Amino acid sequence: MQDLRPIVRLLQNQRWTSGAEIGKITGCFGEDLEQAIAALKARGLPLEYQTERGYRLTSPAMLIDEERLTGLLQDAGLVSATRVSVVDAVDSTNSRLLDWAEPATLHGRVCVAEYQSDGRGRQGRPWFAAGYRNLTLSLAWRIEQDTTELSTVSLVGGLAVCDCLEDIGLSQVCLKWPNDVMSPVGKLAGILVETKSTGLEHLHVVIGIGINIHNASAVKARIEQPIADLGTLMGSKLDRTSLSAKLLSGLSCALERVNRSGFSDCAQKWNKRDAYMGCAVIGTIGDQKIQGQGLGVDDSGAYRVRDDRGRIHRLISGEVRLRRAADAPKADHRAKVKQSRA
Ligand code: BTN
């Protein structure tokens, strides 16, 4: 499929634009244009058509500007500054970097996509996001500390997203282990960390981040949990280019710190953002369920749950969710308690 961004660029001011005008400027006419418009709609772009007026966007969409993003990353002194590619559509930005043919140039490489046809989430789930109106990007990174647990990379990613969102003015952002970024109304962002075996001395990881900015109800209906949209929460037009730059610089700095000194410095920071600290939770590892109280992460990034007999369990993979009132002893459900050490 051709790059559809020239059409989006033409329509992004929300003005009615005739098919002939689109054809003249983008070179896409007739049947090709019809196909392109159908593809844009299928990607989730809110487009309207009237015979006598042509096409227009019913709500704003502003494309991510690769040149400006590169400039912003250069200004921030980032290793990735010269290795950013913003693409129109890709199956998954993570896959794009995992399949990268030259491992020696992978470190710091960034792929940002306006649309993912096969976005992937954790635990084999899909990641849905309307095209041109959300943020889907991946960063490849070389891990230098032998002791760095991969799970801690994803925790660091979650923290970087929270810090970035707070920086642009969003409050009450918290983390649900391992790395769901939550607002009081639902999930704002998710992180998928995958490894790339390069044959080089150091392990490379690909950190994929999806931030919900604007999703139509049709997209929301496909997602099995409540999701929050940054655009709605912030109530203003978000500049996805500068948001990407802020996120990538914060993330790179955090990853450099982890390469230097491991995760332990971040554990306390993560626990301050833990949505379930002190709450009655159920930790799930495969089929095993552990009921107890959420105690946050330890220095290796494992989530600790204290069961009703006082034993501390460390979850290394799996999920933690709130215990429903019916499952939990009334007195301690969602009660905040003092954190105790494992
Ligand atoms: C989750 O399940 O919460 C993780 C979602 C991760 C989605 C992002 S979007 C960019 C990158 N590419 C993918 O295919 N997935 C990640």
Side-chain angles (χ1 to χ4, degrees), residues 125-186:
R125 288 188 285 250
W127 181 261
F128 298 116
Y132 309 95
R133 309 188 77 209
N134 289 286
L135 203 61
T136 49
L137 57 78
S138 301
L139 166 69
W141 202 258
R142 186 176 56 223
I143 298 296
E144 276 158 21
Q145 288 233 357
D146 291 344
T147 51
T148 304
E149 298 272 354
L150 282 184
S151 55
T152 62
V153 174
S154 79
L155 300 182
V156 167
L159 266 178
V161 177
C162 288
D163 289 348
C164 167
L165 297 183
E166 207 162 76
D167 212 42
I168 61 164
L170 194 70
S171 55
Q172 293 187 284
V173 203
C174 58
L175 286 160
K176 184 166 140 344
W177 190 84
N179 55 22
D180 282 357
V181 178
M182 307 295 294
S183 83
V185 279

Side-chain angles (χ1 to χ4, degrees), residues 92-94 116 119-122 127 137 180 187 190-191 208-210:
S92 146
T93 53
N94 266 30
Q116 295 188 124
R120 292 184 282 112
R122 290 183 57 247
W127 181 261
L137 57 78
D180 282 357
K187 178 163 166 171
I191 292 132
I209 299 180

Side-chain angles (χ1 to χ4, degrees), residues 213-268:
I213 300 180
H214 287 292
N215 279 297
S217 42
V219 175
K220 288 185 178 155
R222 298 170 78 184
I223 303 170
E224 60 195 25
Q225 62 174 312
I227 67 162
D229 278 343
L230 191 56
T232 315
L233 293 176
M234 299 289 295
S236 62
K237 249 191 180 173
L238 269 172
D239 174 354
R240 292 182 304 133
T241 305
S242 65
L243 182 65
S244 308
K246 220 178 246 300
L247 176 60
L248 288 164
S249 14
L251 180 62
S252 311
C253 291
L255 290 167
E256 262 158 27
R257 269 197 305 276
V258 171
N259 268 348
R260 273 198 310 272
S261 45
F263 175 73
S264 53
D265 290 354
C266 294
Q268 217 180 353

Side-chain angles (χ1 to χ4, degrees), residues 48 112 133 275 278:
E48 186 178 20
V112 187
R133 309 188 77 209

